Amino acid sequence: MRSPLRSPLAHAGSRPLTWSPALARKMALAVGLLTVPSLATAQNRAGANAAPAPASASKAADPISDEGYIAPPEAIARLVTAPREGNASFNAPSPGSRKYFARTVSDGLPSLKNVGKAHHNLGGFQVDQGANRERGMTMRSAAGLELLEWETGRKIPVALPAGARTTQPVWSPDGSRIAFLALFDDATQLYVADAATGKATPVSGRNVLATTVTAPSWSADGQSLIVVLTPDARGAEPKEPALASGPMVRINESNKLKTRTYADLVMTPYEKDLLAYHITGQLAVINTKTRAVKKVGAPGMIRALDASPDGKYFRVTYVEKPFSYVLPVSSFGTRDVIVDGAGVVVREVVNKPLRESDDPTDPVDPMNPSRLAGRVPVDTGKRSIAWAPSGALLYMQLAPTPAGGAARADSGAAARRADRLMQWKAPFDANGATVLYETTNRISAARFNDAGTILFVTETGTGGTYEQAIFLTENNAKFTVVAPRPRGRGDSAAAPAPAAGGFGRGQAGGLVTRPGSKGDAVVVVSTDGKSVFTIGAPQDTASSPKANVEKIDIRTGARTRIYESTGDVVETISAPLDDDFTKVVVQRESPTMVPQSFVLTLASKDAKQLTNNVDVMPELSKAIKKKVVARRADGYTFNVNVTLPADYKTGTRLPAMFWFYPREYDNQAAYDRTLAQGSAADRRFPSYGPRSLQFLVTQGYAVVEPDAPIFASEGQLANDNYVVDLRNNLSAIIDALDTLQIIDRHRLGLGGHSYGAFSTVNAMVHTPFFKAGIAGDGAYNRTLTPNGFQSERRDLWQGRQTYLEMSPMLYADQLNGALLMYHSTEDQNVGTDPVNSTRLYHALMGLGKTTSLYMYPYEDHGPIAKETVLDQWARWVAWLDKYVKNAGNKNTAM
């Protein structure tokens, strides 16, 4: 097992450490800390749902230096553990009759017991080996399932088996049942529950292998479930050799293979065997009534699977060898094939070899022009492969290059090459694919109506995005349903991704979809077959987004707005409850109204409330919120959000904690566009997670969350101005808030997570503004990410000076203020290996700087365990109180 606690030298190639209380203490002492708890202490003190106890009952706890998990002030602990899980949101009704809603029932923040359960970490692939499932399922599992019959208001609890937890359920195509995985400590099993009664029964006694395919899927007829099981003849898990058979060998012979900086990779032949063992499963179809198990083919390293609507074929994606030592599992080669009911491979669809390079300095996809940085080859392979309701396989593919034509996107070749939607019917002969639809534009989505007689295609060209309707039973007669319109008209805005269960919208102006009778998402077509619908929230005024529903005649494109909200509150329409859009599911909220779900009758505008959510953090919702505009000396302006205690008196200068995350922009106009896109956020009810810095207002702080734009200047990239812009931004913020008499500029703290942590340390070594800092899961030495980072496209040797200037480790001797660092020992984020924090702590300790480092076992990039989050707050508050709030008013050069 890859240990959750690694030596500071593990990144350099040493074997991972095995967790033990003695070794944890040894590591803590090695870096000058006594903050890593023993496992026994953590489990005894924490439990699954209990708040951490003080480190010692015989003396007052020191929340800065004590070992063990400790508790923050009561006001903070209450906010961390506030019962957010009691509030519900409904947006995806059951398929078929659409009479039910399903929700998982949470019991609050994940416990250390679940987060710390033994697991393997293999190149970004994390597995709970004791239960044969993906680790995240264990960590974020739910305590229960509940159904709501919305017309009657009846709540139907699903009876989970004793000792089991669960994940999100999957509806049968007719909406009468749900399938779910019962998560036991040592097994993962498949269950089905009746929607009307909530009674759950096991489908099979066989153990499900949920390491890569993490949810069951229904057959189109709703009679069977398709899953991956543990193989019949599965042997014992491979064991690591007691003695190494040789050195770790890595060779490169003049091949330019740039990769990002990954935290964990497959390291040895043993780990390759371990990976293969945990992704090798048996594809199976299980009859939900008879419990008969039909095995399909031989076991294989299955990554994904998708059954055809007629149940005769399966599209299976297999992971292929060789495995890589330099890239994560997600980059390993795959082979996408069609197999029949006997498991015989009928045809290979796509074969993607192992990519030994994922060069982050390469130009990006031309479909994102804002990041286009050079010449990019056009994707000529099969894309968006999916089953059609007819049982044919669909995929998109560019037509062959015209004679004498170029094959590069930047030369305009993409516009000259037609894009095609291909239809491939059984028996999937090598030359059996035919063109179903062709256009000079780029196809991005394809959907059918439920009957499969109308094809709806989303395509994008130089004029914008179109929705086309092709009547397959009328000699492929084509009609433009949605055409691009001039900017500024009150039409459907860019729509979100489809919601769970298949309800949702497509791209800009996209058509509403729902789960079809065969399971896949289909476009909602009115019962008379003449109309489709869009849902939008256009910016009718700068401060009043109004939700709307428009009915569109398929053949003429004529629109009729059948509903528009008043704009008094923010209203989000998520799904229709019938194909004529007479009733819809909506959520309503405002800055003072907790979000609630309703069933809305469009004609009468009568609304039936489905939820009774409450404000679980009134001390924060009542806090004073201000938006301040900061102006830099060079003329750039940006927004600053300030949260103040509810009892704040105007003119009172408070100690302040800044929390930020810089982003890069080409110019002021580019930054201003982001403000317009987020204008509705200020009209929503405030939402706070367990680590929201606004909690500090209960401790008498002003919480300052500024935008921190890094602007490119003529002839330079944004990062070339990073340090200067960072200083200018912070200086402008402090001046603006000082002028408004909100902050005490001599009692300021600064913090951030990830890139915000990196920027926090940069600010503390390049400015004298802050008494203390909090930096979490950050990178502090850019030479450790030599092939690019964040939005930086140059490598270290192309942008040497910028890399060095942006590395606060190289300026550690200039640190101003007291720096608290925290880092998760299993941080999987690209570029933020925990070695960053241990080495910076080592440097600061040698320089005599005031600093601390808390390494949290089991956690990834952003802690989630209840015990961890509470402990962090205890350390943060103590650190800020000591070095910021109680720093006095001694004048500091600004």
Side-chain angles (χ1 to χ4, degrees):
M1 181 181 77
R2 184 71 61 85
S3 168
L5 179 62
R6 299 185 299 155
S7 159
L9 296 178
H11 184 79
S14 64
R15 289 302 301 153
L17 301 176
T18 301
W19 174 268
S20 71
L23 189 53
R25 184 177 180 85
K26 183 177 179 181
M27 178 185 175
L29 288 169
V31 294
L33 297 174
L34 284 175
T35 58
V36 181
S38 71
L39 181 58
T41 300
Q43 291 179 337
N44 289 339
R45 287 182 180 163
N49 295 301
S56 173
S58 60
K59 66 179 182 65
D62 183 344
I64 291 178
S65 63
D66 274 359
E67 291 186 279
Y69 288 92
I70 61 176
E74 184 178 350
I76 296 285
R78 199 203 78 76
L79 293 170
V80 171
T81 59
R84 302 169 185 80
E85 63 276 5
N87 288 341
S89 176
F90 296 117
N91 54 31
S94 58
S97 65
R98 290 174 252 189
K99 65 184 295 186
Y100 299 107
F101 291 94
R103 66 181 290 253
T104 55
V105 179
S106 172
D107 49 357
L109 288 173
S111 70
L112 192 69
K113 177 183 176 182
N114 285 342
V115 175
K117 189 171 186 284
H119 60 278
H120 295 305
N121 190 356
L122 303 165
F125 168 75
Q126 298 189 355
V127 57
D128 173 353
Q129 71 269 22
N132 293 310
R133 60 178 173 258
E134 191 266 330
R135 182 196 178 200
M137 298 172 67
T138 297
M139 292 194 297
R140 295 177 174 83
S141 57
L145 294 170
E146 183 180 82
L147 304 176
L148 172 69
E149 188 178 52
W150 66 265
E151 287 185 303
T152 65
R154 183 170 65 104
K155 293 182 179 179
I156 308 161
V158 175
L160 298 186
R165 295 176 68 83
T166 189
T167 57
Q168 193 70 32
V170 182
W171 282 105
S172 63
D174 66 357
S176 65
R177 294 176 293 168
I178 57 171
F180 64 92
L181 295 178
L183 310 181
F184 299 94
D185 190 60
D186 59 353
T188 304
Q189 295 188 346
L190 181 62
Y191 276 69
V192 167
D194 180 77
T197 65
K199 181 181 179 181
T201 56
V203 174
S204 170
R206 295 283 302 274
N207 283 332
V208 173
L209 183 72
T211 55
T212 55
V213 179
T214 56
S217 58
W218 288 90
S219 60
D221 61 9
Q223 299 303 307
S224 302
L225 285 163
I226 299 101
V227 293
V228 177
L229 303 174
T230 55
D232 286 339
R234 194 188 200 201
E237 180 183 84
K239 299 298 180 184
E240 184 170 15
L243 190 66
S245 59
M248 295 174 61
V249 178
R250 305 289 186 269
I251 297 175
N252 184 63
E253 296 182 338
S254 302
N255 294 315
K256 189 176 181 180
L257 302 176
K258 289 188 176 182
T259 66
R260 299 177 186 274
T261 308
Y262 294 100
D264 281 287
L265 296 167
V266 173
M267 302 286 286
T268 64
Y270 156 70
E271 291 190 347
K272 288 184 176 181
D273 292 342
L274 201 59
L275 172 63
Y277 178 85
H278 283 292
I279 63 176
T280 298
Q282 174 65 60
L283 173 59
V285 179
I286 306 177
N287 187 289
T288 58
K289 291 185 178 180
T290 67
R291 301 178 64 181
V293 178
K294 178 186 177 183
K295 293 184 289 185
V296 180
M301 295 188 294
I302 300 173
R303 169 173 283 181
L305 61 90
D306 186 16
S308 64
D310 58 14
K312 295 180 180 180
Y313 297 95
F314 303 86
R315 186 166 64 90
V316 185
T317 303
Y318 292 102
V319 179
E320 293 284 286
K321 292 183 177 180
F323 296 161
S324 173
Y325 288 130
V326 299
L327 286 172
V329 173
S330 59
S331 295
F332 287 8
T334 58
R335 183 169 175 250
D336 198 330
V337 300
I338 301 172
V339 301
D340 62 19
V344 176
V345 175
V346 175
R347 186 64 53 190
E348 180 177 280
V349 181
V350 177
N351 193 324
K352 294 182 179 180
L354 168 69
R355 294 185 300 114
E356 282 287 350
S357 174
D358 67 343
D359 189 351
T361 66
D362 274 350
V364 294
D365 194 296
M367 294 307 292
N368 187 352
S370 65
R371 297 179 60 195
L372 185 59
R375 295 170 61 85
V376 182
V378 174
D379 179 7
T380 58
K382 299 180 179 69
R383 18 180 257 281
S384 302
I385 304 168
W387 294 106
S390 64
L393 198 65
L394 299 180
Y395 60 88
M396 302 167 198
Q397 188 173 40
L398 289 178
T401 306
R408 312 294 293 192
D410 58 320
S411 63
R416 293 197 298 271
R417 297 181 64 179
D419 203 5
R420 294 171 171 175
L421 181 65
M422 306 296 292
Q423 179 176 246
W424 202 6
K425 296 182 179 180
F428 308 104
D429 297 327
N431 299 312
T434 58
V435 178
L436 186 60
Y437 178 72
E438 183 172 294
T439 175
T440 56
N441 294 326
R442 182 80 163 182
I443 301 172
S444 58
R447 290 280 189 269
F448 292 85
N449 64 334
D450 200 21
T453 57
I454 309 174
L455 170 65
F456 295 92
V457 177
T458 306
E459 57 184 71
T460 302
T462 55
T465 299
Y466 300 78
E467 293 280 0
Q468 312 285 11
I470 297 92
F471 284 75
L472 303 177
T473 56
E474 298 181 19
N475 199 29
N476 287 2
K478 172 182 168 181
F479 301 91
T480 298
V481 181
V482 177
R485 293 191 239 179
R487 190 182 293 268
R489 291 183 59 178
D491 299 314
S492 299
F503 288 94
R505 290 163 280 184
Q507 298 183 354
L511 307 181
V512 177
T513 63
R514 64 166 174 83
S517 57
K518 296 181 180 179
D520 288 338
V522 298
V523 172
V524 175
V525 177
S526 59
T527 53
D528 62 9
K530 296 180 179 180
S531 303
V532 290
F533 303 86
T534 62
I535 296 172
Q539 300 293 326
D540 286 347
T541 68
S543 61
S544 180
K546 296 182 180 181
N548 67 73
V549 177
E550 291 193 339
K551 185 176 183 178
I552 307 175
D553 186 286
I554 298 174
R555 295 176 184 267
T556 68
R559 289 173 174 257
T560 304
R561 183 161 292 193
I562 60 175
Y563 174 75
E564 183 174 271
S565 67
T566 63
D568 294 339
V569 298
V570 175
E571 188 169 279
T572 304
I573 303 172
S574 56
L577 289 169
D578 58 76
D579 283 354
D580 290 316
F581 256 87
T582 63
K583 289 183 172 64
V584 297
V585 185
V586 303
Q587 178 175 281
R588 290 173 173 172
E589 61 183 304
S590 75
T592 58
M593 175 183 173
V594 177
Q596 305 287 1
S597 295
F598 297 83
V599 168
L600 174 68
T601 302
L602 297 191
S604 65
K605 296 192 177 182
D606 292 336
K608 177 182 177 62
Q609 188 167 330
L610 302 178
T611 57
N612 291 290
N613 299 329
V614 297
D615 182 0
V616 297
M617 290 176 280
E619 56 267 68
L620 290 188
S621 58
K622 294 177 182 177
I624 298 170
K625 301 170 185 64
K626 295 179 178 291
K627 190 179 294 290
V628 176
V629 176
R631 180 178 295 275
R632 293 180 359 186
D634 55 12
Y636 286 107
T637 61
F638 57 94
N639 282 354
V640 180
N641 292 312
V642 182
T643 306
L644 301 168
D647 59 355
Y648 174 77
K649 303 298 183 185
T650 301
T652 304
R653 295 183 179 275
L654 298 178
M657 179 61 181
F658 290 40
W659 194 261
F660 76 144
Y661 191 102
R663 289 180 169 84
E664 300 79 24
Y665 301 92
D666 289 337
N667 47 46
Q668 180 77 55
Y671 167 75
D672 291 343
R673 283 194 294 271
T674 67
L675 300 182
Q677 292 168 2
S679 61
D682 294 335
R683 303 184 66 249
R684 297 183 182 276
F685 190 79
S687 175
Y688 304 100
R691 299 170 72 244
S692 294
L693 262 288
Q694 289 92 341
F695 293 0
L696 286 173
V697 299
T698 66
Q699 307 302 301
Y701 291 87
V703 176
V704 180
E705 297 171 290
D707 292 342
I710 307 298
F711 292 108
S713 58
E714 187 173 352
Q716 289 186 310
L717 299 178
N719 278 340
D720 294 334
N721 303 316
Y722 174 84
V723 173
V724 173
D725 276 9
L726 195 66
R727 277 197 302 258
N728 288 345
N729 287 340
L730 293 170
S731 178
I733 296 164
I734 294 169
D735 286 346
L737 299 181
D738 182 51
T739 299
L740 295 172
Q741 299 182 357
I742 292 174
I743 63 169
D744 178 348
R745 67 186 300 149
H746 304 300
R747 292 189 295 162
L748 302 179
L750 176 70
H753 185 81
S754 192
Y755 201 67
F758 159 77
S759 298
T760 292
V761 183
N762 259 305
M764 293 183 69
V765 300
H766 291 300
T767 76
F769 302 149
F770 302 99
K771 297 292 186 182
I774 296 176
D777 290 353
Y780 309 114
N781 185 347
R782 295 275 61 126
T783 68
L784 296 179
T785 55
N787 292 330
F789 61 90
Q790 204 74 356
S791 65
E792 179 57 61
R793 313 308 298 176
R794 297 167 296 183
D795 65 24
L796 170 61
W797 298 274
Q798 295 167 324
R800 186 193 310 269
Q801 191 60 34
T802 296
Y803 273 68
L804 298 179
E805 288 180 355
M806 292 180 68
S807 296
M809 166 70 89
L810 305 183
Y811 301 89
D813 60 324
Q814 299 177 21
L815 182 79
N816 295 290
L819 177 63
L820 178 155
M821 290 181 288
Y822 64 90
H823 216 120
S824 301
T825 61
E826 295 195 66
D827 186 353
Q828 297 299 294
N829 185 56
V830 173
T832 56
D833 191 286
V835 72
N836 280 274
S837 292
T838 56
R839 287 302 177 226
L840 182 56
Y841 178 84
H842 184 235
L844 294 174
M845 182 174 64
L847 291 165
K849 301 294 184 178
T850 299
T851 186
S852 62
L853 172 59
Y854 305 95
M855 302 290 290
Y856 288 97
Y858 317 121
E859 301 283 5
D860 197 343
H861 191 70
I864 62 172
K866 176 180 179 180
E867 293 83 353
T868 300
V869 176
L870 287 168
D871 185 86
Q872 284 188 332
W873 273 111
R875 315 287 183 179
W876 295 353
V877 171
W879 194 260
L880 294 176
D881 282 356
K882 181 174 182 178
Y883 294 108
V884 176
K885 181 185 288 185
N886 298 319
N889 294 315
K890 183 179 178 181
N891 190 19
T892 301
M894 300 295 282

